[in-house]
Amino acid sequence: MAKEPMLKFVTVDRDMPIKRDADDRKSDFHEIYAEYADTKAKEQAARCSQCGVPYCQTHCPLHNNIPDWLRLTATGRLQEAYELSQATNTFPEICGRICPQDRLCEGNCVIEQSGHGTVTIGSVEKYITDTAWEEGWVQAISPAVEREESVGIIGSGPGGLAAADRLRRAGLKVTVYERSDRAGGLMTYGIPGFKLEKEIVMRRVKQLEDGGVEFILNCEVGEDISFDAIRGKHDAVLIATGVYKSRDLAGPGSGAEGIVRAIDYLTASNKVSFGDTVEEYESGELNAAGKNVVVIGGGDTAMDCVRTAVRQGATSVKCLYRRDRANMPGSQRETQNAEEEGVEFVWLAAPKGFAGDPVSGVMVQKMRLGAPDASGRQSPEVIEGADYVEEADLVIKALGFSPEDLPQLWGTEGLEVTRWGTVMADFTTHATSLDGVYACGDIQRGASLVVWAIRDGREAADAMLEYIDQSTAIAAQ
């Protein structure tokens, strides 16, 4: 028997109830939500003081024209606001969702500094770009002139995609080599869907594909194709691989079953959200449901892990961090969100080892803060005799990421790296030690923010275009 549609009654007058089905109800919700969102966006935008020195803009890595598009939003000129936002930011709807605004634009808002609460810049940015997509204001990639030159981009994270967009709009042929089965890098498999909906990322990927960008997926450089072969096929190459090598923990029991890497845990969760079958998730290895979860780390990745564990139905979720809250590297807003969702933070606590195999607990040593280190944060010191065991069925290591050894992995000579393993490149042009090869994003600057990768990708694209133009001019002589 067919399922009856959901019904509701909306009273138009006292005598005439009208039956309406679920589709109508959904339409009502979106209309009401859109009206509410529009009102709130205009209210927040109107709060901007249009100060003489726009600290919000200067503290944005992309130097977005924030005061100007806030003014346009406040007066209802949303299409112009979107166009101004898009002029400096390739993916404003993504930055509006995941940028740590509390550390960047909003944290430096003059109104916030004066104690009256910041203008919610990120929410306004998200709203105007979402509206642009809904209204059809987002322009398809359609180069004025098609060129014969081509570029190869290794990696499809924010830096690689930003460069691909800019280079394709200039008419170049663009091929992106990605080792995963979907494009997007950490935006797709590292950041949880409750922070960045996956359809938002896939929509941008589709825009690039529809605009002529070629994506070669499941392609491991150094195995499926050599780096030298990529260089031989293209007039310039951009390395935008990101950093995926997880920092590890030593100590007794560190290899026990039930101790997993953050990247594996988050990737599994995101794959499941796409509808994929993930064996490690189904078996419980990378699933927090019904478990006492301990996450080790204090950055944004740790916050992604604890909040994901809550949503998977963990019995308890604790986050161990060796410093205090004030010295935590992650977003304070994210920390507050996690606390509101039931996560317990154990400050001044560092893992010493692990009990059991499968793991049954984390051996914790209590810490105190001493003198500041090179970063300016106080260094943690062990309090002798204050060790204890924190119960755990699943331990997630969220200690940050380091670069892989690309010269060795790719079997290439002449690609210089720094002592930290990042690719050595000019921070203005992003040119590496190899002619025609550029680098951007985390593989150049180390693990950082999506917004910095977007900036790097745009800068690298401009430098690559200039390089190709010069090379073409020389060849024509």
Side-chain angles (χ1 to χ4, degrees), residues 194-346:
F194 58 83
K195 286 175 59 177
L196 177 59
E197 307 94 315
K198 299 311 159 187
E199 58 267 24
I200 300 297
V201 181
M202 294 299 107
R203 182 173 63 187
R204 280 294 186 182
V205 172
K206 185 177 186 302
Q207 182 197 34
L208 290 166
E209 287 180 318
D210 291 346
V213 175
E214 179 185 8
F215 287 88
I216 301 179
L217 304 177
N218 296 304
C219 180
E220 186 76 55
V221 177
E223 294 182 8
D224 301 306
I225 186 172
S226 71
F227 179 66
D228 289 339
I230 292 175
R231 289 189 71 191
K233 290 178 62 175
H234 302 287
D235 296 282
V237 174
L238 177 64
I239 301 172
T241 57
V243 292
Y244 282 87
K245 182 180 177 182
S246 297
R247 293 173 185 153
D248 213 341
L249 282 171
S254 58
E257 179 184 341
I259 302 173
V260 302
R261 302 186 309 162
I263 188 63
D264 296 333
Y265 175 70
L266 293 172
T267 298
S269 178
N270 281 310
K271 280 182 173 287
V272 169
S273 73
F274 276 108
D276 297 351
T277 299
V278 181
E279 183 179 340
E280 294 86 351
Y281 183 89
E282 298 296 329
S283 69
E285 179 183 346
L286 297 175
N287 186 348
K291 296 180 180 178
N292 296 308
V293 178
V294 171
V295 176
I296 301 171
D300 291 336
T301 299
M303 297 307 98
D304 291 343
C305 290
V306 294
R307 298 183 69 195
T308 297
V310 169
R311 284 159 175 76
Q312 289 179 348
T315 301
S316 69
V317 182
K318 294 183 179 181
C319 181
L320 302 186
Y321 183 57
R322 60 180 182 160
R323 292 183 170 93
D324 61 3
R325 187 187 193 113
N327 285 277
M328 192 176 186
S331 167
Q332 290 296 324
R333 183 180 296 174
E334 284 284 299
T335 304
Q336 181 180 343
N337 290 339
E339 286 178 325
E340 291 171 353
E341 293 168 4
V343 175
E344 179 183 345
F345 286 84
V346 184

